Amino acid sequence: ALIPAVTVGLYLLLYLLSQVVAPLFKLAKWQLPGTLNSVGTIWQSMYITISLVALLPFQCYDHPNGKSSISKFSEVVCWEGDYGVFFGLGVAATAIYAVGFFALTAYANLIAPRASARTPRFTLFFRFLFFRFRTDRWYWGQVLFIRSFAMASVPIIGVGRGAMQVVMLTVIAGFFLVLQTLNMPWKTRLLNVSDTAILAMVILLAAGSSVFGQHEEETGGYTIFVMLCFASGMVVITCILCGAVRTILQQRRGQKQSRDAAAHAEMARSFEYVFKKLRALEDRSIAVLLEDLGEFDVQTVERLLVMMNHELSLEMSGSRKMSRSKRLTVSGGKTSLAGARIRSQSAELTR
């Protein structure tokens, strides 16, 4: 549990040393945003491990005499003797690592759309949260935190009841597998397939391990009751999330429909600014920029080109009067053929 604290201290020490030593050897100093981003990357990669260790004092299993002990330290009797020390350390570690770091990243994801536009350093501080995901799924790092904490909480519920824990783990993995397949949030297809395969393997391993578990005949009714409560809770949470997402989407749709001319004018100025910068670049430089983008980002750019080409064609032909649904159908069609048509038109213009 001390590894995250040691990591922070070590990186801050190296940062301070770089401020003194780097100028002597004419080397670049460590920057604070990059240093904290490195710390965040390590904390994020170890989050499920940290959560498991922090929640360890709460994993008490029952003895035949009515007492209970910590599952990893059988000599420590829960709620007696030295257990208070373990309990205090567990509460502190959970508050700082599991809950505190989660709250910090949740706040960062909440303000990310505004803060990243106003403060470039914000993106450098929290790059570990966003850089692996598509731009329209920037918040998916928080979903991974929820998934990790949920899986780390399984050993606490029903200690000594393996069947219950297997079912809970299967339900959690299945729930997030559905979210993963519906959103495909990672930047590359390989990462999406890998994450999907990992969740599927967790479900298969959990289901397969139930064959080797002990039968719990005397607690079967309790286990079934807890499983039903847990499954019902997951259904309720899913319904709440779906309702919240639907409400948010409806609000955003209403805001989008009621957007005034000033907002459109501001977007037009942004388009003009970007196009001026692109015109100042050579074709080779633009190609290099596209090569640096992720697979889904390239598809987004191509769809934008297809849509703009279609709208400009309608504007020049004088046939702008088309229903919104038809325009979306045309612009959302196969981008490969439309993209090829755009490339052929560009080639004609350069001749």
Side-chain angles (χ1 to χ4, degrees):
L2 295 178
I3 293 179
V6 172
T7 302
V8 174
L10 178 61
Y11 269 85
L12 290 179
L13 178 61
L14 292 175
Y15 168 75
L16 295 175
L17 287 176
S18 71
Q19 307 303 308
V20 178
V21 177
L24 300 178
F25 297 94
K26 297 182 179 180
L27 299 175
K29 299 179 181 178
W30 281 27
Q31 301 299 319
L32 185 59
T35 303
L36 296 180
N37 174 69
S38 300
V39 174
T41 302
I42 295 176
W43 275 39
Q44 185 183 45
S45 62
M46 298 180 60
Y47 184 76
I48 189 169
T49 305
I50 295 171
S51 299
L52 283 170
V53 174
L55 297 174
L56 187 61
F58 308 105
Q59 301 175 23
C60 297
Y61 70 96
D62 296 329
H63 291 296
N65 61 1
K67 296 185 178 181
S68 58
S69 297
I70 299 178
S71 58
K72 296 297 182 181
F73 303 97
S74 300
E75 68 278 8
V76 180
V77 179
C78 294
W79 312 110
E80 294 183 9
D82 296 334
Y83 178 74
V85 177
F86 284 87
F87 183 80
L89 291 175
V91 171
T94 302
I96 296 174
Y97 300 149
V99 179
F101 187 58
F102 177 87
L104 175 64
T105 54
Y107 178 73
N109 276 295
L110 182 64
I111 66 172
R114 299 187 303 273
S116 59
R118 298 175 182 175
T119 310
R121 288 171 63 90
F122 174 86
T123 307
L124 297 177
F125 273 113
F126 294 99
R127 185 175 181 272
F128 66 93
L129 277 179
F130 314 121
F131 80 100
R132 295 173 298 170
F133 307 108
R134 292 160 42 190
T135 52
D136 58 339
R137 296 291 186 272
W138 82 91
Y139 52 82
W140 202 257
Q142 205 63 34
V143 177
L144 296 185
F145 281 126
I146 297 175
R147 186 176 82 184
S148 298
F149 189 77
M151 290 184 174
S153 301
V154 169
I156 301 177
I157 305 174
V159 178
R161 298 181 175 91
M164 181 192 301
Q165 294 178 346
V166 166
V167 174
M168 291 177 59
L169 183 61
T170 304
V171 172
I172 292 173
F175 175 76
F176 285 99
L177 177 61
V178 172
L179 291 183
Q180 164 65 26
T181 53
L182 289 177
N183 290 274
M184 290 296 179
W186 302 86
K187 274 190 175 181
T188 63
R189 186 164 297 149
L190 177 61
L191 290 175
N192 282 305
V193 172
S194 299
D195 198 21
T196 304
I198 289 172
L199 289 172
M201 288 300 298
V202 169
I203 295 174
L204 291 176
L205 290 174
S209 64
S210 62
V211 178
F212 305 97
Q214 297 179 353
H215 297 285
E216 303 165 359
E217 297 178 357
E218 67 277 6
T219 59
Y222 176 73
T223 300
I224 294 174
F225 173 74
V226 173
M227 291 301 98
L228 291 176
C229 293
F230 184 76
S232 302
M234 294 299 294
V235 171
V236 171
I237 292 174
T238 304
C239 294
I240 293 174
L241 290 176
C242 291
V245 171
R246 182 178 180 182
T247 302
I248 293 172
L249 291 177
Q250 289 177 348
Q251 291 177 352
R252 289 186 176 182
R253 190 179 297 113
Q255 293 173 358
K256 185 177 181 180
Q257 292 175 352
S258 61
R259 195 183 310 171
D260 54 10
H264 288 125
E266 183 178 356
M267 186 178 294
R269 288 192 294 270
S270 300
F271 267 110
E272 185 178 0
Y273 175 74
V274 173
F275 290 153
K276 284 182 179 180
K277 295 183 70 174
L278 288 175
R279 283 197 296 267
L281 296 176
E282 298 180 355
D283 293 343
R284 184 177 301 176
S285 300
I286 298 176
V288 171
L289 289 176
L290 293 175
E291 290 176 358
D292 292 337
L293 294 177
E295 180 180 358
F296 290 98
D297 295 333
V298 172
Q299 292 179 4
T300 302
V301 173
E302 191 170 8
R303 290 192 184 96
L304 174 63
L305 293 175
V306 171
M307 182 186 65
M308 294 300 296
N309 180 66
H310 176 70
E311 294 294 324
L312 290 174
S313 299
L314 292 177
E315 184 73 29
M316 290 186 292
S317 63
S319 56
R320 284 279 299 177
K321 294 183 179 180
M322 182 184 294
S323 67
R324 179 176 177 81
S325 60
K326 291 183 179 179
R327 291 210 305 270
L328 288 176
T329 302
V330 174
S331 62
K334 292 184 177 180
T335 58
S336 58
L337 296 178
R341 183 164 61 251
I342 291 176
R343 289 191 290 270
S344 63
Q345 292 174 356
S346 301
E348 292 178 359
L349 291 175
T350 55
R351 291 176 183 173

